[in-house]
Amino acid sequence: MTVQVKICGVSHPGAVTAAVQGGARYIGLVFYERSPRHVAPPLAAELARMVPTGVRTVGLFVDPTNEYLEHVVSQVPLDLIQLHGDETPERVAEIRAAFSMPVMKAIKVSSAADLDAAEAYAAVADRLLFDAKPPAKVAALPGGNGIAFDWTILTGRTWSKPWMLSGGLTADNVAEAIAVSGAASIDVSSGVEDRPGHKDPDLIRGFLKAAGR
């Protein structure tokens, strides 16, 4: 089985080139101003135009308004909307219908009980993403915190929609994460950065190689 990889939070052309040449299937652009990976739509549009056919461009949003979504999608050619906030299943369905685009919903996980919400989202989203829940009482981002969760809680689990594994993945642990969780798709952000918000092309290439690309 070939694992599909998403390189999320790219913000410069070198990162896009390394990801595409290394075999990434998804390129993620972050539209969340609190994140060091945030890109403004004009730059995001330039980066998205570098992505070839066959590689999907994903826009990551956190509890966006329809107005902000329209502001971005009217400028940036996206293939998939990723919702990484506290969006309810109803809100996910509303966004999917309003923008006629596939939607991936992030589920924040720290224990097996957190997986109980997944099926309600699977009913309205096109894909799921399981990411580590941000630490409590810390000014953490909704994602991209470099934190992993216990992958064994995913072992043998199935859902009605495709899913992706995220959270604390690096070149050193990605093969184990895939083997333990059974993930067919994985997402990395901070694990290929040399400083917060800056993707290192060599780390991207190393991660993709470790993931079997």
Side-chain angles (χ1 to χ4, degrees):
M1 179 184 69
T2 300
V3 174
Q4 298 182 349
V5 180
K6 173 171 170 273
I7 306 295
C8 193
V10 301
S11 59
H12 61 92
V16 177
T17 299
V20 170
Q21 292 181 349
R25 180 66 184 275
Y26 300 87
I27 303 295
L29 301 168
V30 173
F31 301 100
Y32 179 58
E33 292 185 355
R34 281 188 52 209
S35 171
R37 305 167 186 99
H38 171 73
V39 285
L43 173 57
E46 292 181 19
L47 298 174
R49 285 193 287 268
M50 295 178 61
V51 178
T53 301
V55 179
R56 304 182 76 187
T57 303
V58 182
L60 185 155
F61 300 85
V62 178
D63 298 305
T65 64
N66 281 15
E67 290 75 16
Y68 184 60
L69 283 163
E70 178 62 32
H71 173 68
V72 173
V73 302
S74 65
Q75 300 177 68
V76 185
L78 298 177
D79 299 304
L80 180 68
I81 291 173
Q82 177 178 334
L83 298 174
H84 217 96
D86 295 321
E87 301 90 359
T88 63
E90 293 75 17
R91 179 60 177 148
V92 172
E94 181 182 80
I95 289 172
R96 188 175 183 272
F99 292 89
S100 300
M101 288 180 62
V103 172
M104 176 164 64
K105 178 66 180 97
I107 311 294
K108 298 166 188 175
V109 179
S110 63
S111 68
D114 295 317
L115 300 178
D116 294 344
E119 203 53 58
Y121 285 105
V124 293
D126 298 273
R127 301 183 69 94
L128 302 174
L129 182 145
F130 296 108
D131 192 9
K133 184 177 290 186
K137 300 181 181 179
V138 175
L141 295 168
N145 295 298
I147 300 169
F149 63 92
D150 179 6
W151 304 314
T152 64
I153 64 176
L154 293 171
T155 304
R157 295 290 299 266
T158 60
W159 285 272
S160 59
K161 297 290 174 64
W163 59 275
M164 188 174 286
L165 175 66
S166 187
L169 299 176
T170 67
D172 293 331
N173 67 14
V174 64
E176 179 187 0
I178 293 166
V180 170
S181 69
S185 301
I186 55 173
D187 171 284
V188 64
S189 186
S190 62
V192 291
E193 292 180 347
D194 53 13
R195 60 184 185 272
H198 185 267
K199 297 291 181 291
D200 182 283
D202 288 336
L203 291 177
I204 290 173
R205 285 187 281 265
F207 183 90
L208 289 164
K209 184 177 180 180
R213 298 303 302 160

